[in-house]
Amino acid sequence: MKTVILATAIRILIPIFIIFSVYTLFRGHNHPGGGFIGGLIGAIAFVFHTMTHGPQHTVDTFLKVNLYGYPRQPNQSRSLYLMRMMRVNVWRRRKMARHPEVKHRMIRIESVYIIATGLLLAVTSGVFGLLSGQPFMHAYWTDFYIPILGKPGTPILFDLGVYLLVIGVVLKITFVMSEE
Amino acid sequence: MFLAILAGFLLAFAAPMLYRWLGKWVFVPMALLPFSIFVYLLTLAPAVLNGQNLGELQAWAPSLNINLHFFLDGLSLLFALLITGFGTLIMLYAGGYLKGHPLLGRFYLYLALFMTAMLGLVLAGNIISVFVFWELTSISSYLLIGFGHDKESSRSSALQALLVTGLGGLALMGGMILLGLAGESYTLSELLERGDLVRNHALYLPALVLLLLGAFTKSAQFPFHFWLPNAMAAPTPVSAYLHSATMVKAGVYLLARLTPVMGGTDEWQYTLMLVGGVTTVLGALLATQHTDLKAILAYTTISALGLLVTMTGIGTAPALEAMVVFLLAHALYKGTFFLVAGNVDHATGTRDLTQLSGLSGTMRYTATAALLAGMSMAGLLPFFGFIGKELLYEATLQESPFRWLLFAVSFFSGMVFVAVAIALGFGIFWQRSTRPTPLQHPDKPLLYLPPVILACTGLVFGLLPGFFVTPLLRRAAEAMLGVEQVFELALWHGFNLVLGLSLLTVLLGYVVYRYSNKLLSYASRFNGLYRLGPANLYQLGLNGFLTGATKITATIQNGYLRSYIAAIITAFIALVVLSLSRGGPRLELANRLPELTQLRLYEVVLLMMIIPALIFLFKSRSRLTSIAIMGIIGYSVALFYILFGAPDVAATQLLIETLTVVIFVLILHKLPAFTYLSHASERYKYVLLSLAFGAVMTYVILIVKQYPLDSQLKAYYGQSSYLLGQGRNIVNVILVDFRALDTLGEIVVLAVAAIGIMAMLKLRMQKGDKP
């Protein structure tokens, strides 16, 4: 279903959707919102993209990470090499992509990974309580306050896990449904 | 003791790896383990023989009063020594028997697992851990019987053994729990002192029935005996170890162990004597009707187990003495015979009695072992079997109302044992034959050493009964009787009635052997009876069970989503109507009608949007229209949420509606054209169902609203969500903090659902694949 208007609009709308979804996520503790709603908003952005461009394009655009690398020089120390590699992958991507010696590797982020990460975060937020002898899921809060985001604490981590999981689940369902 | 068990399990799981590293030498570490446990137990033996009971405690589930409690007294020491000593020989033997088999590592894994489980069973000092180890032996026995898994027969035999012993295991668990309730303890050493309490308890009889079921299935007592001959599908080391010397004796062990707790009542005595007696006679009878070496041995084992159970049932001091002595003697000679049968099978390729002859020339050592074991089995003079048989006869001839019946049973089985012993120990080896059976390969030391060692042990124990055996058996009998025993085992009792009867047994046994061919020719006449046998009943039951299960599954899980939903809704309606009709709160509609005047305009507008949409939905013949209409309804509901002050729920509802519509649209064009497949009446049925559901829900909600909500929850959450949860949005604080564990469960469900959807749509089954 490729329509020019939707296709153009969705490109501009996706960042707004995502920023709004993250905002909803962190706002949830004091106002209507939260991980579930935020996750759904974030997922809707991708779902609309899939609707207009097809699942393959969505994956290529958002869920692929290009990594660049080159072999370690014989006299190069390990830490220096790692820092170089990080720089290659962060700042000089365009330039490196055309370099002949540089190897290119693409990693696809499966939506199942997102689900798993979300689940891991949610469970991790509960483990803090266990580690300090309290019951599982005991909440801990810090004392300082970050503007917009609010107070950090383990329930926020839990909400973040819910957020990621919801995005992952909706993406997975959408991809499976539309790839057939 | 705990370490010994742990080491056993560890080595079991290391076995496949060891096989990869060591190749054919894998039997060395595998045999060293039982041997070192054997030696370790021997170091504990002096204390036990002095009358101490050794215990060891590891906390497991202390809150349930279940501990890994190990307990060593005479009875468990006897069994543990038998298991480890025999285990050492079997491990050696298996190395020779399955040499070069690609799955030898796995075989050792199962075998070591079994050995450890069995050891745990006899050492366990807590009846719950007895049950756990009991089930482990069943499972490892299943794996071992099904070791030749490429053959249909061994698979079904394995399943049969598992089902029979597993069902018995379930009964046993029930019995154990009842016993624990009756005796107010799960610890064996405490239970042993509370026999009177248990015997007079109301739960005694149910517990007894369940425990006996467990013991009888395990020890192949009538009518559960049929799995044992089928279990001979296992490789011979397994048959020798599990199905003659150790596992089938677990039931006997259990009975012996519980004798001080539950024994002595009429129910106990008569059940055990009856079942044991019938099994003894039946096993002996069936043994004469087969020509397969292993089948004969299996049936004589059943018969011997029956004798052991009968002796336990009699329960007098001489009977229990006879039981422990016969148990040891039987393990020694029957184990030897199984190994000999395995050797013969391995070397000649056949196990048929009629085709084997004159093997003494080519398999000298095996033949010697067979001869020694045969003399012990027949109860000839210098052997341990002789002492066992003498004691058996003495015990049955004690004063009791059934003395002659009991004696007849043991005499009959003794006669058959003699015949079998002559046939196996003498007939196929030493009888002169013009045409000896040719060998495929000569006798190998790893194969003939274990049976020779076992047979010689039988001889040594017979010649020197006072040395180590008597004190051990004395303690074992003491564990059952509760009082110290002072019996002496002696080879020579002088000329008395029992000796004469022994001689008579041997003579008559020889007669049976001479005319065995004739007996075999009669065997086919009994074939009609097999149809009524328990094996057939088992098969019928199993088949019926499978067909029934298939039918039920086909009815309940028919694959139509609508019928599942219909079932759920119908059940819900039925439950609500049922509880309302049983005097639930009534709706007072008259008082509520004035409330209609408080209706606000926008509520009416929303209602006016939903109802026409619903009617339109029924009439629409296009999927896209239906989805759009569903969307309208969904958004209207979300508006209701906003009106009634639930912005979180409303937002979620709105987003979900959006996503539903979008996802539907995504797959819409892949669906076939919209047609009505079902009859109109079918559709009206669902319309009626939905109407009924809606009516019930409305009614319930109206009733709920009729009573003022009297709950502190709202106030509590309102106050504490900011104070404790540091958030002003109560809904979210409840979700991520107060009830976070629920949310965690929900998101796990969500993740599983996503994976399920992927599995359903992506992993297409190949045509003809099983679901």
Side-chain angles (χ1 to χ4, degrees):
Chain A
M1 214 188 314
K2 189 139 186 168
T3 64
V4 181
I5 298 174
L6 191 56
T8 321
I10 205 72
R11 275 170 180 260
I12 305 163
L13 284 178
I14 279 187
I16 302 175
F17 263 108
I18 305 246
I19 290 169
F20 183 64
S21 77
V22 174
Y23 169 67
T24 320
L25 158 71
F26 285 109
R27 172 183 194 270
H29 220 59
N30 291 326
H31 308 282
F36 197 77
I37 296 174
L40 286 175
I41 294 175
I44 282 175
F46 294 112
V47 170
F48 272 116
H49 193 270
T50 310
M51 219 170 113
T52 47
H53 298 283
Q56 196 53 52
H57 195 255
T58 312
V59 171
D60 287 344
T61 321
F62 299 107
L63 296 176
K64 273 213 174 133
V65 179
N66 289 300
L67 288 179
Y68 303 97
Y70 54 83
R72 193 164 118 192
Q73 310 299 319
N75 51 356
Q76 200 172 19
S77 81
R78 201 175 175 80
S79 49
L80 187 66
Y81 171 70
L82 280 177
M83 282 174 56
R84 282 267 165 83
M85 294 295 284
M86 259 154 78
R87 197 188 62 179
V88 162
N89 281 307
V90 177
W91 287 294
R92 299 171 57 202
R93 296 180 65 99
R94 283 281 156 81
K95 203 172 149 198
M96 292 309 290
R98 288 193 299 272
H99 203 276
E101 257 187 58
V102 168
K103 283 184 198 151
H104 174 219
R105 195 149 169 224
M106 215 167 357
I107 293 175
R108 178 176 168 175
I109 303 174
E110 297 280 349
S111 28
V112 178
Y113 300 167
I114 306 178
I115 299 178
T117 316
L119 213 50
L120 184 73
L121 281 182
V123 174
T124 315
S125 77
V127 173
F128 285 102
L130 272 190
L131 288 182
S132 52
Q134 296 284 344
F136 186 62
M137 288 286 176
H138 186 86
Y140 284 96
W141 294 94
T142 50
D143 276 338
F144 53 94
Y145 187 88
I146 304 173
I148 303 172
L149 299 185
K151 264 185 182 178
T154 51
I156 301 289
L157 193 64
F158 184 83
D159 229 5
L160 191 66
V162 175
Y163 173 84
L164 284 178
L165 184 126
V166 168
I167 290 192
V169 167
V170 176
L171 280 184
K172 184 81 236 172
I173 294 175
T174 316
F175 289 159
V176 166
M177 294 276 189
S178 54
E179 261 172 23
E180 257 192 272
Chain B
M1 281 177 259
F2 178 66
L3 274 182
I5 307 268
L6 199 66
F9 281 128
L10 286 181
L11 192 74
F13 287 103
M17 224 157 31
L18 287 175
Y19 181 52
R20 225 168 294 141
W21 292 340
L22 300 175
K24 67 174 180 178
W25 296 106
V26 64
F27 69 85
V28 177
M30 298 314 288
L32 263 178
L33 171 82
F35 185 68
S36 43
I37 301 179
F38 183 75
V39 172
Y40 164 69
L41 287 169
L42 280 184
T43 61
L44 295 179
V48 175
L49 295 186
N50 282 332
Q52 274 177 291
N53 291 341
L54 303 175
E56 204 179 293
L57 194 82
Q58 303 274 338
W60 186 10
S63 49
L64 290 174
N65 199 10
I66 296 169
N67 297 310
L68 267 183
H69 187 152
F70 294 105
F71 177 76
L72 191 71
D73 65 353
L75 189 64
S76 31
L77 183 66
L78 171 68
F79 271 91
L81 285 178
L82 199 63
I83 291 160
T84 47
F86 212 108
T88 312
L89 295 177
I90 290 293
M91 292 286 184
L92 289 176
Y93 183 81
Y97 191 81
L98 287 172
K99 193 172 159 189
H101 195 289
L103 294 178
L104 183 60
R106 195 190 287 180
F107 181 77
Y108 270 126
L109 160 64
Y110 299 158
L111 202 60
L113 194 64
F114 166 77
M115 189 200 76
T116 317
M118 193 68 207
L119 197 62
L121 172 62
V122 297
L123 291 182
N126 179 305
I127 52 177
I128 299 294
S129 34
V130 168
F131 167 74
V132 171
F133 286 118
W134 179 284
E135 290 291 278
L136 261 179
T137 60
S138 289
I139 292 167
S140 47
S141 150
Y142 165 74
L143 293 170
L144 282 167
I145 297 172
F147 181 66
H149 53 78
D150 44 345
K151 272 183 287 196
E152 169 68 36
S153 64
S154 41
R155 289 202 303 271
S156 64
S157 308
L159 189 64
Q160 189 181 49
L162 182 71
L163 284 179
V164 174
T165 54
L167 281 179
L170 281 182
L172 179 78
M173 183 172 75
M176 290 288 194
I177 291 172
L178 291 184
L179 176 64
L181 288 177
E184 290 161 15
S185 167
Y186 288 110
T187 313
L188 212 49
S189 47
E190 283 174 24
L191 277 173
L192 288 177
E193 287 157 10
R194 295 184 189 171
D196 290 328
L197 179 68
V198 174
R199 275 190 289 267
N200 296 322
H201 201 276
L203 288 174
Y204 171 72
L205 202 59
L208 179 70
V209 170
L210 291 173
L211 286 172
L212 288 186
L213 264 180
F216 288 168
T217 48
K218 196 75 159 185
S219 280
Q221 296 297 299
F222 179 82
F224 307 110
H225 62 277
F226 56 91
W227 70 266
L228 187 58
N230 290 338
M232 295 298 143
T236 306
V238 178
S239 312
Y241 193 39
L242 272 71
H243 305 128
S244 88
T246 54
M247 190 184 90
V248 288
K249 296 218 168 90
V252 177
Y253 168 76
L254 185 75
L255 294 177
R257 181 45 91 202
L258 293 177
T259 302
V261 189
M262 311 193 78
T265 57
D266 282 354
E267 296 92 340
W268 169 276
Q269 273 192 326
Y270 291 132
T271 321
L272 288 194
M273 271 157 42
L274 182 71
V275 173
V278 170
T279 314
T280 312
V281 175
L282 193 78
L285 260 182
L286 289 171
T288 58
Q289 301 192 356
H290 288 264
T291 56
D292 181 4
L293 289 183
K294 276 174 87 174
I296 297 174
L297 289 173
Y299 282 112
T300 50
T301 306
I302 291 178
S303 183
L305 290 168
L307 268 181
L308 290 174
V309 171
T310 317
M311 289 298 130
T312 318
I314 296 174
T316 56
L320 292 180
E321 283 165 30
M323 184 220 136
V324 285
V325 175
F326 182 60
L327 186 136
L328 185 57
H330 173 258
L332 290 175
Y333 70 70
K334 193 54 70 67
T336 315
F337 261 133
F338 265 110
L339 298 182
V340 165
N343 276 354
V344 170
D345 187 16
H346 207 266
T348 63
T350 177
R351 292 199 308 240
D352 197 334
L353 198 60
T354 52
Q355 292 177 17
L356 294 164
S357 60
L359 289 170
S360 65
T362 43
M363 302 177 73
R364 185 148 293 273
Y365 294 104
T366 308
T368 313
L371 186 67
L372 293 177
M375 292 208 271
S376 187
M377 184 173 179
L380 292 185
L381 197 53
F383 288 90
F384 198 55
F386 172 76
I387 306 177
K389 183 148 296 177
E390 296 272 283
L391 285 174
L392 274 185
Y393 285 176
E394 260 177 43
T396 50
L397 287 173
Q398 292 271 313
E399 274 310 319
S400 88
F402 309 104
R403 55 189 286 196
W404 290 111
L405 198 62
L406 287 172
F407 174 72
V409 165
S410 56
F411 185 78
F412 178 72
S413 67
M415 215 166 68
V416 174
F417 285 1
V418 171
V420 169
I422 297 174
L424 265 57
F426 176 76
I428 59 173
F429 291 104
W430 300 91
Q431 204 166 38
R432 267 196 212 114
S433 161
T434 47
R435 223 161 25 86
T437 318
L439 292 196
Q440 290 165 351
H441 66 78
D443 226 0
K444 284 185 283 193
L446 218 47
L447 287 179
Y448 66 67
L449 272 180
V452 167
I453 293 174
L454 270 181
C456 289
T457 317
L459 181 60
V460 170
F461 282 0
L463 289 173
L464 301 166
F467 164 57
F468 176 72
V469 187
T470 314
L472 179 63
L473 294 180
R474 224 187 264 161
R475 291 292 168 197
E478 179 195 328
M480 287 188 274
L481 284 159
V483 274
E484 198 152 346
Q485 295 300 303
V486 282
F487 66 88
E488 283 295 333
L489 294 184
L491 208 49
W492 186 247
H493 288 261
F495 293 101
N496 53 14
L497 175 68
V498 176
L499 185 69
L501 289 170
S502 271
L503 277 177
L504 192 64
T505 319
V506 175
L507 279 178
L508 283 176
Y510 180 69
V511 174
V512 172
Y513 167 68
R514 273 306 298 263
Y515 295 101
S516 59
N517 285 336
K518 238 183 196 154
L519 275 177
L520 278 174
S521 65
Y522 288 129
S524 58
R525 298 192 187 171
F526 293 104
N527 283 352
L529 282 178
Y530 282 113
R531 267 194 299 134
L532 301 171
N536 228 310
L537 289 183
Y538 160 83
Q539 200 55 44
L540 276 178
L542 188 64
N543 290 347
F545 193 70
L546 289 179
T547 353
T550 317
K551 274 189 184 147
I552 289 177
T553 314
T555 323
I556 299 179
Q557 307 262 323
N558 54 10
Y560 291 112
L561 188 59
R562 56 172 179 272
S563 64
Y564 298 161
I565 295 177
I568 292 171
I569 290 178
T570 318
F572 182 83
I573 295 174
L575 283 178
V576 170
V577 170
L578 187 74
S579 56
L580 283 179
S581 66
R582 284 192 169 186
R586 296 259 169 257
L587 179 62
E588 286 139 20
L589 206 56
N591 305 345
R592 309 290 302 278
L593 278 176
E595 288 178 20
L596 277 178
T597 54
Q598 297 166 14
L599 217 56
R600 283 170 293 187
L601 179 64
Y602 40 79
E603 289 168 7
V604 179
V605 171
L606 277 180
L607 197 68
M608 285 300 125
M609 264 167 79
I610 291 179
I611 289 176
L614 273 176
I615 295 169
F616 200 62
L617 184 64
F618 285 127
K619 292 287 165 197
S620 102
R621 295 189 62 92
S622 135
R623 282 204 181 90
L624 196 60
T625 325
S626 324
I627 291 163
I629 296 170
M630 296 265 279
I632 292 177
I633 298 170
Y635 287 129
S636 314
V637 173
L639 283 177
F640 264 118
Y641 289 142
I642 293 179
L643 289 181
F644 288 97
D648 281 281
V649 188
T652 315
Q653 169 83 9
L654 277 173
L655 292 167
I656 289 287
E657 283 303 327
T658 314
L659 269 177
T660 316
V661 172
V662 171
I663 289 181
F664 258 121
V665 169
L666 274 179
I667 55 168
L668 199 62
H669 59 277
K670 285 163 192 144
L671 294 176
F674 191 81
T675 45
Y676 283 123
L677 289 174
S678 52
H679 195 261
S681 66
E682 190 88 342
R683 266 175 284 138
Y684 286 117
K685 197 176 83 187
Y686 288 121
V687 170
L688 274 181
L689 195 65
S690 336
L691 280 178
F693 185 59
V696 165
M697 282 309 285
T698 315
Y699 190 79
V700 169
I701 300 247
L702 281 177
I703 289 180
V704 169
K705 289 291 286 181
Q706 188 172 310
Y707 297 93
L709 193 64
D710 181 28
S711 160
Q712 324 258 298
L713 275 182
K714 211 165 161 185
Y716 170 77
Y717 280 125
Q719 279 180 354
S720 20
S721 79
Y722 191 70
L723 294 178
L724 299 175
Q726 319 250 348
R728 282 194 298 274
N729 180 0
I730 301 177
V731 177
N732 205 54
V733 171
I734 291 176
L735 278 179
V736 300
D737 199 341
F738 288 122
R739 318 236 17 136
L741 204 59
D742 291 359
T743 315
L744 185 65
E746 280 155 24
I747 60 175
V748 170
V749 170
L750 204 59
V752 172
I755 294 168
I757 289 174
M758 181 174 74
M760 272 200 317
L761 293 177
K762 274 293 195 52
L763 310 173
R764 283 292 175 81
M765 270 179 287
Q766 299 295 313
K767 209 171 182 184
D769 264 10
K770 278 192 179 170

